Amino acid sequence: FQPCLNNISTKELNLLTMIITPATLITPEGYPQIYEKVKTLMLEIKEEYFGESPYLETMIISKFLEILTCVAHTVAGQQKENGANSRQKEYVEKFILVTDYINNHFAEDLSLEGVASQAGFSKYHFSRLFKQYTDSTFYKYLNQKRIEFAKTLLQDPGVSVTEVAFKSG
């Protein structure tokens, strides 16, 4: 699903994935209110995948986003009930802004120190939080954005490899 989801770039999707990162295990005991719905959607995804629908990818992404939304909504509600502190909420909001900034400026000369400073953290604290909220290191995340953009540019035969390297950072 990752290649398909890379094309969806919204603050909401970032928020959803940050809420459930690195992973949330949905069991009947842990999440009885959504377990059956998530199970049903997963089985529907399996049917779509092995079916012959002309809209295969769209249907799968749609169902996956429904699962993601359902899980994130439930997890966020539980965090609220459990009194998740305001600092955690502040960090989530900050990291949505940080990832948006990286997504929009990846081709520029970004450094860990510079982005950490801009976010108001030391580079060490920022690195720990970035890994926690994105399940990736800062440089891995940045390089992945650059590689995705380079792949797109390389599809154009009129753009040289050198040009692609400069344009993608």
Side-chain angles (χ1 to χ4, degrees), residues 3-159:
C4 301
L5 292 176
N6 287 338
N7 296 327
I8 301 171
S9 178
T10 66
K11 288 182 183 181
E12 290 83 8
L13 186 57
N14 284 337
L15 178 60
L16 293 176
T17 54
M18 284 182 189
I19 289 171
I20 62 173
T21 295
T24 301
L25 179 62
I26 305 300
T27 62
E29 300 80 23
Y31 294 93
Q33 66 277 39
I34 62 168
Y35 175 79
E36 284 302 321
K37 181 177 183 176
V38 170
K39 179 181 169 185
T40 300
L41 287 166
M42 290 297 290
L43 291 171
E44 288 174 6
I45 287 173
K46 179 183 170 190
E47 286 176 31
E48 289 291 340
Y49 184 78
F50 291 109
E52 302 208 11
S53 169
Y55 307 107
L56 170 79
E57 193 173 284
T58 303
M59 293 298 291
I60 290 173
I61 291 170
S62 170
K63 291 179 187 307
F64 181 72
L65 289 174
E66 188 175 349
I67 291 170
L68 192 60
T69 304
C70 179
V71 171
H73 180 72
T74 303
V75 170
Q78 284 186 345
Q79 288 174 346
K80 197 176 206 179
E81 286 175 15
N82 296 336
N85 64 30
S86 62
R87 177 171 279 171
Q88 183 180 9
K89 182 180 177 185
E90 177 188 333
Y91 284 173
V92 167
E93 291 170 357
K94 241 182 208 188
F95 277 89
I96 289 171
L97 294 174
V98 166
T99 54
D100 282 347
Y101 179 81
I102 294 168
N103 293 344
N104 292 322
H105 299 275
F106 63 85
E108 298 171 15
D109 186 22
L110 297 181
S111 69
L112 172 65
E113 293 81 6
V115 176
S117 175
Q118 198 171 30
F121 298 110
S122 74
K123 68 180 183 180
Y124 304 106
H125 190 56
F126 178 81
S127 291
R128 283 191 300 275
L129 290 173
F130 194 90
K131 177 75 172 166
Q132 178 184 343
Y133 285 98
T134 64
D135 200 29
S136 177
T137 67
F138 169 78
Y139 285 110
K140 184 176 179 182
Y141 185 91
L142 176 60
N143 285 333
Q144 190 59 41
K145 293 297 169 192
R146 289 174 171 170
I147 290 167
E148 289 168 14
F149 186 65
K151 283 180 185 177
T152 305
L153 292 177
L154 286 169
Q155 292 175 357
D156 182 353
V159 181

